[in-house]
Amino acid sequence: MEEMVANPAVEKTPGIRTSGKDNARSHQPAEDSPVIGLLKKILPPIVVFVLFIGGWELIVRILGMPPYILPKPSDIAAAAAENSSNLITSVSTTIVEALIGFTISVVLGISLAILLALSKTVEKSVYPYAIILQTIPVVAVAPIIVIWFGGGINAIVIISFLISFFPILSNTLIGLNSTDQNMKNLFYLYNASKLQTIWRLRFPAALPYIMAGLKISCSSSVVGAIVGEYIAGIGGGQGGLGYGITVAATRLQTPYLFACGLAASALGIAFFLIINMVSNKLLKSWHESAMK
């Protein structure tokens, strides 16, 4: 009988005993706060950037390289500050040219892709010529464009359009042709017309492909605008980044040449980030590529 009496020393007291779930939960790491999560994302690239810039500055100083061979980051920053008005004007001009070329490529690329998707016969007849247009080097076509449309912004916009057009056309067409066949059969059973099927099924389903094409083309439009400025650029005080790079190279102003190149890179990155933000807004509620 004494053995059956509960021992107070080993009596289970409330609050001390924990279940298996509680033990598992206690071993789980605490979730990071939004600030810590943001720091984990941006801190490694910042550290790499600082180390790269610092190493660049240190190595050039130790080797004693002249600025016209390899400028230090401080020389590039000084050149950008000294020529800030010219640099801002060049960036503004290139932005306008790239935006116009990109807008035209979006409108024509998506419209032509829809027309090709409506008919397989039209797609087989026209799409090969779009591929041929993409494979022709822009440098070879640019003189003809200058002869036909004259130098300046007209030729630059057309060259920017030619470079950024095909990725939008190709990706949109692939997206329109990748719609689930069962969904197309359902629309067919409900007697939906081709246009209704395009706008209410195939186009929304192709949005991830379209946004992927826009991400490629937005940066390509900047490259196209700069290439156009090399060949048919606006000179003088209204020149774009391509014209600024050409002048800096002929005058051996290497620090300012680097500044123009970095400005062009920053411009392409800014275009990409804007399109990426729009893509996330459109896709985050239903497509896995934008879900977090």
Side-chain angles (χ1 to χ4, degrees), residues 5-278:
V5 177
N7 188 354
V10 296
E11 192 176 42
K12 297 175 182 177
T13 58
I16 294 180
R17 181 182 178 183
T18 57
S19 64
K21 293 182 179 179
D22 293 334
N23 289 331
R25 191 181 297 112
S26 64
H27 289 293
Q28 290 178 353
E31 293 185 0
D32 295 333
S33 65
V35 177
I36 296 177
L38 181 62
L39 286 176
K40 286 183 177 180
K41 288 182 179 179
I42 66 174
L43 196 58
I46 291 176
V47 171
V48 173
F49 177 77
V50 171
L51 291 175
F52 175 75
I53 296 298
W56 181 359
E57 181 84 19
L58 182 62
I59 291 173
V60 174
R61 286 184 180 275
I62 292 175
L63 298 178
M65 289 185 177
Y68 64 87
I69 297 295
L70 180 62
K72 302 184 293 293
S74 57
D75 296 331
I76 298 172
E82 292 174 5
N83 301 275
S84 58
S85 59
N86 292 334
L87 187 60
I88 292 173
T89 302
S90 298
V91 170
S92 302
T93 302
T94 303
I95 287 175
V96 172
E97 297 161 350
L99 276 177
I100 297 174
F102 177 64
T103 303
I104 296 173
S105 66
V106 170
V107 174
L108 294 183
I110 294 178
S111 301
L112 182 58
I114 291 174
L115 291 176
L116 297 181
L118 288 172
S119 172
K120 284 293 182 182
T121 303
V122 175
E123 179 182 346
K124 293 177 181 178
S125 303
V126 176
Y127 191 62
Y129 295 101
I131 297 175
I132 293 173
L133 181 65
Q134 174 67 17
T135 56
I136 297 175
V138 176
V139 178
V141 181
I144 301 175
I145 295 174
V146 174
I147 293 172
W148 287 352
F149 300 96
I153 191 169
N154 293 336
I156 295 170
V157 167
I158 292 173
I159 293 172
S160 177
F161 158 75
L162 290 176
I163 291 181
S164 58
F165 168 74
F166 187 77
I168 298 176
L169 171 66
S170 177
N171 281 43
T172 304
L173 186 59
I174 291 173
L176 292 172
N177 290 334
S178 300
T179 309
D180 185 13
Q181 187 62 41
N182 293 326
M183 296 299 298
K184 289 195 288 186
N185 293 338
L186 180 62
F187 269 64
Y188 177 77
L189 289 175
Y190 280 96
N191 295 321
S193 64
K194 285 187 176 182
L195 287 177
Q196 288 177 325
T197 305
I198 282 286
W199 291 115
R200 299 192 177 186
L201 174 64
R202 298 177 69 182
F203 188 82
L207 270 179
Y209 296 87
I210 296 173
M211 299 312 300
L214 294 181
K215 290 177 184 178
I216 299 171
S217 294
C218 67
S219 300
S220 299
S221 65
V222 177
V223 175
I226 294 175
V227 170
E229 289 165 355
Y230 274 121
I231 300 168
I234 304 171
Q238 299 298 321
L241 287 172
Y243 176 77
I245 291 171
T246 303
V247 173
T250 56
R251 297 178 181 176
L252 286 181
Q253 296 175 340
T254 310
Y256 184 63
L257 178 64
F258 270 78
C260 290
L262 292 174
S265 175
L267 187 58
I269 293 172
F271 273 41
F272 177 85
L273 292 177
I274 292 172
I275 298 298
N276 188 59
M277 182 179 64
V278 174

